[in-house]
Amino acid sequence: MKRLLPNPRRTGLLTVFFAFLVSMAFAQTKVGGRVTGGDTGGGLSGATVKVKGTANVVTTGADGSFSITVPGSNAVLEVSFVGYETMDVAVAGQSTVNVSLTVSAGALQAVVVTGYGSQERRSITGSVAVVDTREMTKYAASNIADQLQGKVPGVQMSTSGDPGSAAFVRIRGIGTINNNEPLYVIDGMPVQNESNINFLNPNDIESIQVLKDAASASIYGSRAANGVIVITTKKGKTGTSKLTVDMFYGHQTPAQIPELLSPTQFLQVQQDLAKGQGIPFTSNLFIRQGSNWVMPDFVVRGLGGFLAGDPAVNPNKYFLNLDPTGGGVGDYLILQANKAGTNWFKEVFRPAAQKNVQVSASGGSDKGSYFFSGNVYDHDGIMLNNDYRRYQARVNTLFKVRNWLRVGENLNVAYQTTRASMGNPNEGSPLINAYGVPALVPVYDIAGNFASPAGFGSALSNVVADLSRARENNGGHSFRITGSVFGEVDLAKFLTWKTSYGVDYNSGPGQGYGTRRYEAVEGNNNPNSLSNSYFQNRNWVFFSTLNFKKSFGDHKLDALAGYEAKQTYYEGFSAGGSQLAFDNFNYRLLQNVNPATFYMNSYRGEHNVLSTFVQGSYNFNDLYYASATVRRDGSSRFINNKYGIFPSGSVGWRLSNMKFMDNISAINDLKLRASYGILGNNEVGGDYPGFSNFGTSLGEANYDIRGTGNSNVTGFQQSSTGNPDLKWETTAVTNIGIDAVVLKDFNVMVEWYKRDTRDMIYNVELPLELGAVGRQAQNIGSMRNTGIDFSLGWNKRLTRDFNFNVAFTGSTVKNTVLKLEANDNSFIRSGGSRIGDITYTKAGLPISQFYGYVQQGLWASDADITKVLKTDKGDAKVGRFRYADLNNDGKIDNNDETYLGSPIPTFIMGLNLTANYKNFDFTMYWSGTYGQKLFNYVKYWTHFNAFQRNRAAEYLTEAGKSLPVIDGGDNYSSQRNSYYVEDGSFTRLRNLQIGYSLDQKMLTKFGLSRLRFYVQGQNLLTFTKYSGLDPDVTVSNITEGYASQRDLSIGVDNGRYPLARNFIFGVNLEF
Amino acid sequence: MRKNIAKLLAVPIIMILVVVSCGKDFLETQPYGSVNNELLATSAKGANALLIAAYSNLDGFSGWDNGSPWGGAASNWTFGSVVGGDAYKGSEAGDQPDITPLERGNVDANNPYLDGKWRNYYDGISRVNGAIKAFSALKEISPAEKTIRLAEARFLRAWFHYDLWRIFRNVPFIDETLTDVRIGNTTNILPKIQADLQAAVAGLPVTQAEVGRVTKGAAQTVLAITYLWEKKYSEAKAQLDAVVASGRYALNAKYHDNFNAATRNSREGVLEVQQSVNDGTTDNGNNGDVLNFPYNGGPAGCCGFHQPSQDLVNAFQVDANGLPLLDTYNNTDVKNDDGLKTSDAFTPHTGPLDPRLDWTVGRRGIPYLDWGKHPGSNWIRDQSYGGPYAPIKNTHYKSQEGSLTTSSGWTSGYNANNLKLVRYSDVLLLLAEAEVELGGLERARTLVNQIRQRAANPAGFVMDGANPAANYRCGLYTATWTDANTARKAVRFERRLELGTEGHRFFDLVRWGVASQVKTAYFAKERIKRTYLTGAAHVSPKNDIFPIPAKAITQSAKDGKPTLVQNPGY
């Protein structure tokens, strides 16, 4: 039977044959050449080269090279490749035609991965931002969030310079007072509740889609309320195999070093503090000479300062008892005062290297494909002894077992270590210590041991000592395996069944060791200590989908039904103790601690979700589009309201395909789209919010009822107050957008959205008289975000050798808390600090407003004080901050505090400029965030009378001008007030890059298909009025505290890891 | 056909996978490592554990969520001792600045120390109520044990409420019957406290097998104090007489044995908070006072708070007969090293002093337990701010490091030195107070002399080698007391000397109605030495109690309106 039917392939061949015959009639010429990507300069394998007006077509090889027969010297080649503009090139008598393709502006033909399947980009009716991963990966970084900053309209991103640290990613504003972390879906595997996806190698990423509205995200239902970032990793391509090597080396330097008091100024300040207080200056440290005070030559721990020649500073008296189990009594530590001044910032923050090597191999045939990569990333922080390393490998394979059956897997294995991370930027952090340790303290004492800051001021640390010890801790080791196996069965041409089982396994040992901090100001007698911990997070996701895809004439129908089960399980333990007899590295095992000091802990928990979903989309002749999704999720976190239903719908209209538009040549493509839908959020800050339970606790519930003095009896305290009626938090999103291509070269996208979050979950504080049990998860409020996202692109080939591309993204957002009922109150206070809660979240205002007194200069005179503060002067004094008596009651008290500004930016932008000239490529990338205020809490330490510390040079020079008169008794001026609140707007040149690709001819001799060198400068310029080290402040620390409460105190600068300026040299090699 | 079979097989296999992987209970998960109330409250083991957890709050610490250990400290070193003028905040100006407004009399309702106190004690009350409910319903327990446990619980509930009452006065009384705790604070809760205490007196034995459990004597004493607040002197006397008559208590031979971890739970302890160390945590070892040690090279090394005041030190000056200078004690200062470096020469005060001074105050040149002589400014964090003195009653001996102090933790200040909420000497002095008001002046003198006799024991002096470290003198009141005013003055003064820095002072001043008078005089003198006290004032009745924490008022809202009312003047 078969033989009698016409074979389509033969028919095709026949056509080619006839075409060949036809062309034979003319002069036959062979033309060779290479197709490269204008953006990377790399060869494009699989690109189509067609002789225009004929059926003569070839595909480029692995290195982008091709050879084709043309009918004559004036033939024209049509060169096309997915993601690039199709280009016509005249042969013009040449035998070699090299073609550099320009990246397609709209890339409307591209297929993008959205939900459980993929979709043609042109038919998208929701809000899906497709990230240009080629542009993205140009910015050398460990974390994709760092690379994505400013690239996607509507997405605010920020990372700290702390190597390996998590990222702050907020899609379309702050959607809730609860957890705002987006959902990451990596090759179909949702990675739950994660703010750090460092385990991914950015170079492995094929595509990133950001799903911003309900229509596109509701297929992910639960947890999709904060947006979804869909990441697809690279697969091998049929017909090509290649090996790539990418390497770079970066040299980072601190972008800014603050100016602090010199030793002389420090002495001046100490005297002024006493003077301001009206008491005679006295010091154990400085030396009185007649009526003057001078700096000591030497300082003896505990005894104070001495001049040279004093018997007390005889080096023979120096004694340090290094007994690791405690003691320290009898130590006699002598240091030589550093009168020139130690710059602690320079001691702690210094140039550092960043290294990356990555190798990948990929290929494929009609039987399957493979992609393999290996990566070693070594990032030293600009902070002393601080580093992050990643050893990572990925294997993605696909086997086409039958023409109806495909099986495959994606596997990523990453081993990561982090050392001496700065951690929470609290007052004990190296940064705050670098500010605080007086410059008179040297790093080392006369015997070469760490110098003690004891006697110089308050509880400060020798930061170099701290960081040296932190290096011995392998604080963050983790071994993470992420991957999935899947099978796809074509039940019919139009019906595909896909099943996937994915795991995300993360585990790691942690060891902390503290050698005795003999130089510490407080706790210098503490013994050494050891802690060991181990954790394992074991998550799996199983899903099965049935996908129907069929065209009926002009009607295209795509439908999907699916089922998903997901488990998140975690467990771990920690144990430790102190007083190990020796400090030797190899002696550090738990059995070697003093048994009396031994402790242990373990924990475990799980969270399960069960979901079903259906989705349908309809496309009429690429003119009208409609789609609808319903997903039902059940979560084990809820008791009486387990299930949430999340529906959405969207429509689109491609106006440019309407007849009446045919004459408008200026508009090449125009699509209107609108969507509405509901998304869910069940991140409540715990997995068991429904249960009221009791637990024991050594320190909080147990009691030594028998009076032994060294043991306790177990007690049980209520540890949680459950709310069995807790239900899903939901977000309704309305999205209206326009996509257009005008005048061929301009791409425009504008979207308006409204996100309404209802039933926001918060751990509400109940009446205090209930005791510690008084926090309960409740659905308490609603919030609205409205905004506009837009992107503009201009892409032009100016000459044959020169093309130019501009991409501008911008977004605005307006956030309003509509309702809050936190235990009958309409506000939540947060951001606790030495000066109380800094931020207020209140119905009617945006989230996380700064709160405090309004500062208006200084109290000028007693008459000034008396005039305003008729009722009660309080601690007001001439020269101290003058606060506004807002309620005019003649005194300054809490009733005079008010809202001082919002940390929510009004506009976020990104500007990407790329150009190619011959073998050179050029990139410049700017990002900017505008309109946000920041609360510069670091100033509490550097600009006010807080503790006996070193301070900013301004503290002395601005005293009595913009700052209060120096006064050791002044705790009045440092209260939370508008002085701390600053404009945080900034524009930053994040990336400047120049690359050069070697000529193909030369490379071929060495068997290479691509060799490119580039230099890159990161964070070269920042334009800002902000006085702190880095205005890129979002949450004070992205890993601090419960994720569910972070956004209640954003914009507070507690001392960020300083920004690094980075110069990078890199090589891309391919063969 | 073959491929169709394969396809037909694939689908069921997938279906089976789905079913196997997700059982019915997939969405029914329960927390690990904890139990529910049903399980606890229906067993003697569980009910006892609930009661133990209530005991655990006696130290004023129930977890960081409820405030810092020092904020809620049961010793009341802030609310009683610092505010009462026994001590300054101490340390340096910037550390724990929230104590300063307490000390200066200008505290506002947002102060976290108020919050800490409130939360810790109401947490304790909530724990007690859980235990009371459990024991009340419990069947598998002997009636005798049930009576005792319920009496213990009611004592604890009374104690927590009493401490809140004396600090905030207008507070709600939360018992186990309430379903909504938002009941307002306009009713005097003293009768309810007394009802609990009476029940505790009735139900508690004189001694308990487990030394940490409360006894009849403790309940009687606390009940007596509440009567004294109400000036019900004969009711108070009856309870205190019963404590004395029980024969269970006696004064330790040496005054300092009350402040030594090695001699805790002696016969002088009427209500002691058990402190334990190296029991897996540092939180049970004198947590509330862990900041109150010398600084730098001194014992425990941190953090220099609770520095005794010059006013307190001066009170220990005595006349030639070893009797206190009731009216003139503060006319001249006991010599101190304020303004001197350790390397500067200094000779301590040579005038006669009550020997209890050097067990109450660490001062330059005097042996500080077995840590050597106090070196002056080297052990002081910021002398110009906090003065020249160091606290000592909560400090451990050097020889006890590691055994009666923690072997781990950030400071060795975590020690097993029990906190004495009620000592027998306190009982005797309260009884003396009642006697004075009831006309039993001679009984009062006998009681005071009983206290002084012990203080005068030379075996209990601080020694410098073979000799007393200072010119110690402690005489008895030999002349008959005929004038109630003089007797009252002597009893009250004795109370200050005997219980100095132990957290009673402020509440005594308020109870006696002299807070404004005494503190005004105190500020007038002290602000010259401690300039941050400039402008400090105590205005009665406002400053006799502290503001209700703003957070408590906010969280008490019902239908949008707070049910708790702020104290007058705040």
Side-chain angles (χ1 to χ4, degrees), chain B residues 164-478:
Chain B
L164 289 163
W165 177 86
R166 62 180 173 173
I167 291 170
F168 301 105
R169 193 70 81 250
N170 300 304
V171 297
F173 189 93
I174 310 298
D175 66 25
E176 81 282 4
T177 63
L178 292 175
T179 47
D180 188 343
V181 298
R182 294 172 292 180
I183 54 170
N185 60 338
T186 50
T187 317
N188 177 21
I189 68 159
L190 213 49
K192 288 195 170 182
I193 293 173
Q194 287 165 341
D196 264 356
L197 289 168
Q198 282 152 358
V201 170
L204 286 171
V206 174
T207 54
Q208 295 249 34
E210 289 176 313
V211 73
R213 292 193 186 270
V214 293
T215 56
K216 191 188 283 285
Q220 286 166 325
T221 310
V222 178
L223 181 58
I225 300 172
T226 66
Y227 288 142
L228 287 176
W229 277 95
E230 294 181 303
K231 305 197 191 305
K232 293 179 178 168
Y233 299 109
S234 43
E235 285 91 333
K237 177 171 148 54
Q239 294 297 330
L240 294 166
D241 273 337
V243 177
V244 175
S246 73
R248 158 82 173 73
Y249 305 103
L251 296 179
N252 290 326
K254 297 177 196 166
Y255 177 71
H256 184 257
D257 283 352
N258 287 303
F259 314 108
N260 183 346
T263 49
R264 64 191 190 285
N265 296 317
S266 68
R267 285 187 71 191
E268 191 166 336
V270 179
L271 178 58
E272 294 197 13
V273 182
Q274 302 301 319
Q275 309 287 354
S276 55
V277 292
N278 301 322
D279 58 346
T281 175
T282 52
D283 286 340
N284 297 329
N286 231 340
N287 209 0
D289 284 82
V290 77
L291 306 180
N292 307 337
F293 289 88
Y295 206 65
N296 290 339
C302 200
C303 300
F305 284 86
H306 198 210
Q307 292 181 255
S309 67
Q310 187 65 41
D311 185 279
L312 177 71
V313 171
N314 289 349
F316 287 87
Q317 300 191 85
V318 293
D319 64 16
N321 297 321
L323 288 174
L325 311 174
L326 299 182
D327 295 307
T328 58
Y329 78 93
N330 213 19
N331 288 358
T332 52
D333 283 350
V334 170
K335 189 183 168 195
N336 64 55
D337 64 328
D338 207 348
L340 294 181
K341 292 173 75 164
T342 295
S343 51
D344 297 332
F346 176 77
T347 314
H349 189 75
T350 51
L353 294 166
D354 188 299
R356 285 170 288 187
L357 169 64
D358 291 326
W359 295 122
T360 307
V361 176
R363 59 189 180 107
R364 170 115 188 235
I366 306 297
Y368 188 90
L369 305 181
D370 59 349
W371 294 90
K373 284 185 184 174
H374 192 291
S377 73
N378 280 349
W379 281 11
I380 303 293
R381 191 165 186 180
D382 182 357
Q383 202 190 48
S384 66
Y385 172 78
Y389 302 113
I392 192 168
K393 279 185 172 172
N394 60 306
T395 309
H396 49 271
Y397 284 80
K398 188 178 169 186
S399 59
Q400 296 171 343
E401 284 223 309
S403 56
L404 292 167
T405 72
T406 182
S407 304
S408 49
W410 61 276
T411 163
S412 58
Y414 294 107
N415 62 39
N417 199 352
N418 278 3
L419 178 66
K420 279 83 179 172
L421 293 175
V422 180
R423 290 197 281 125
Y424 187 54
S425 58
D426 190 358
V427 173
L428 297 179
L429 286 166
L430 290 170
L431 185 53
E433 267 188 48
E435 289 287 5
V436 167
E437 304 304 332
L438 292 167
L441 300 184
E442 274 306 282
R443 173 95 194 277
R445 187 170 68 93
T446 314
L447 290 164
V448 169
N449 276 343
Q450 199 182 337
I451 304 287
R452 295 185 64 78
Q453 187 76 55
R454 187 265 301 272
N457 176 12
F461 288 178
V462 175
M463 301 299 281
D464 182 5
N467 303 313
N471 182 7
Y472 297 130
R473 228 170 277 180
C474 186
L476 301 185
Y477 288 101
T478 49

Side-chain angles (χ1 to χ4, degrees), chain A residues 152-169:
Chain A
V152 187
V155 182
Q156 188 185 4
M157 303 221 180
S158 167
T159 50
S160 134
D162 201 350
S165 67
F168 173 88
V169 180

Side-chain angles (χ1 to χ4, degrees), chain A residues 33 35 44-50 56-68 78-81 238-240:
Chain A
V35 179
L44 296 176
S45 77
T48 310
V49 182
K50 182 183 171 189
N56 195 4
V57 178
V58 296
T59 321
T60 55
D63 60 350
S65 60
F66 68 93
S67 171
I68 195 166
E78 184 185 284
V79 185
S80 62
F81 189 65
T238 305
T240 61

Side-chain angles (χ1 to χ4, degrees), chain A residues 302 490 522 526 608 642 693-694 700 703 705 708-709 712 717 765 769 772 823 825 875 894 947-948, chain B residues 7 26-27 32 34-35 49 92 104 110 118-119 123 127 212 264 274 277 279 295 378 382 410 554-555:
Chain A
D490 296 329
E522 292 176 357
N526 295 347
N608 300 331
K642 283 196 185 304
N693 263 37
F694 288 72
E700 296 172 13
Y703 188 66
I705 197 81
T708 62
N712 56 53
Q717 61 173 336
E765 211 167 356
E769 294 73 56
N823 185 36
N825 293 301
D875 289 331
N894 294 122
F947 293 80
Q948 306 167 357
Chain B
K7 279 188 201 178
F26 193 61
L27 295 183
Y32 291 91
S34 57
V35 295
E92 63 171 37
R104 287 173 41 86
N110 289 304
W118 189 279
R119 284 169 186 264
D123 185 43
R127 293 181 186 192
R264 64 191 190 285
Q274 302 301 319
V277 292
D279 58 346
Y295 206 65
N378 280 349
D382 182 357
W410 61 276
T554 309
Q555 302 302 115

Side-chain angles (χ1 to χ4, degrees), chain A residues 277-279 282-287 301-306 329 403-404 454-455 457-459 489-492 497 499 521-524 526-527 540 542 544 563 565-567 569 578-579 594 596-599 604-606 608-610 634-636 638 642-643 687-688 691-695 698-717 719 765-773 823-825 827 829 834 875 894 940 946-948 968 971, chain B residues 3 6-7 10-11 14-15 17-18 21-22 26-37 40 49-50 52-53 55-58 61-64 66 92-97 100 104 106 108 110 115 118-119 122-123 126-127 172 174 181-182 210-213 264-265 272-281 283-284 295-296 298 300-303 339 341-343 377-378 381-382 384-385 398 407-412 416 531-532 551-552 554-560 564:
Chain A
Q277 214 174 348
I279 54 174
T282 159
S283 168
N284 210 23
L285 176 68
F286 297 104
I287 314 274
R301 182 189 176 113
L303 297 181
F306 297 90
V329 177
N403 61 4
W404 54 270
S458 75
V489 180
D490 296 329
L491 296 172
W497 183 295
T499 288
V521 178
E522 292 176 357
N524 60 308
N526 295 347
W540 57 259
F542 171 87
S544 210
Y563 168 96
K566 184 158 73 67
Q567 181 172 65
Y569 176 86
S578 54
Q579 293 187 330
N594 177 347
T597 68
F598 186 72
Y599 69 86
R604 72 169 65 148
E606 68 183 293
N608 300 331
V609 178
L610 212 52
S635 166
S636 65
F638 303 116
K642 283 196 185 304
Y643 293 94
D687 286 322
Y688 306 97
F691 293 90
S692 294
N693 263 37
F694 288 72
L698 285 171
E700 296 172 13
N702 293 9
Y703 188 66
D704 182 17
I705 197 81
R706 295 187 297 247
T708 62
N710 56 20
S711 66
N712 56 53
V713 171
T714 301
F716 272 86
Q717 61 173 336
S719 46
E765 211 167 356
L766 300 177
L768 302 194
E769 294 73 56
L770 282 170
V773 303
N823 185 36
D824 254 326
N825 293 301
F827 64 89
R829 292 158 50 167
R834 291 259 179 186
D875 289 331
N894 294 122
Y940 175 77
F947 293 80
Q948 306 167 357
N971 292 322
Chain B
K3 78 178 179 188
K7 279 188 201 178
V11 176
I14 289 157
M15 294 303 290
L17 268 173
V18 171
S21 60
C22 299
F26 193 61
L27 295 183
E28 306 288 342
T29 59
Q30 294 220 6
Y32 291 91
S34 57
V35 295
N36 61 26
N37 192 45
L40 273 181
L50 290 170
I52 292 292
Y55 267 106
S56 163
N57 277 21
L58 257 187
F61 178 69
S62 66
W64 283 92
N66 285 340
E92 63 171 37
D95 207 351
Q96 301 296 317
T100 309
R104 287 173 41 86
N106 60 349
D108 73 59
N110 289 304
D115 222 40
W118 189 279
R119 284 169 186 264
Y122 275 111
D123 185 43
S126 150
R127 293 181 186 192
I174 310 298
V181 298
R182 294 172 292 180
E210 289 176 313
V211 73
R213 292 193 186 270
R264 64 191 190 285
N265 296 317
E272 294 197 13
V273 182
Q274 302 301 319
Q275 309 287 354
S276 55
V277 292
N278 301 322
D279 58 346
T281 175
D283 286 340
N284 297 329
Y295 206 65
N296 290 339
C302 200
C303 300
K341 292 173 75 164
T342 295
S343 51
S377 73
N378 280 349
R381 191 165 186 180
D382 182 357
S384 66
Y385 172 78
K398 188 178 169 186
S407 304
S408 49
W410 61 276
T411 163
S412 58
T531 52
Y532 72 93
K551 189 118 196 173
T554 309
Q555 302 302 115
S556 75
K558 207 175 189 175
D559 303 324
L564 293 177

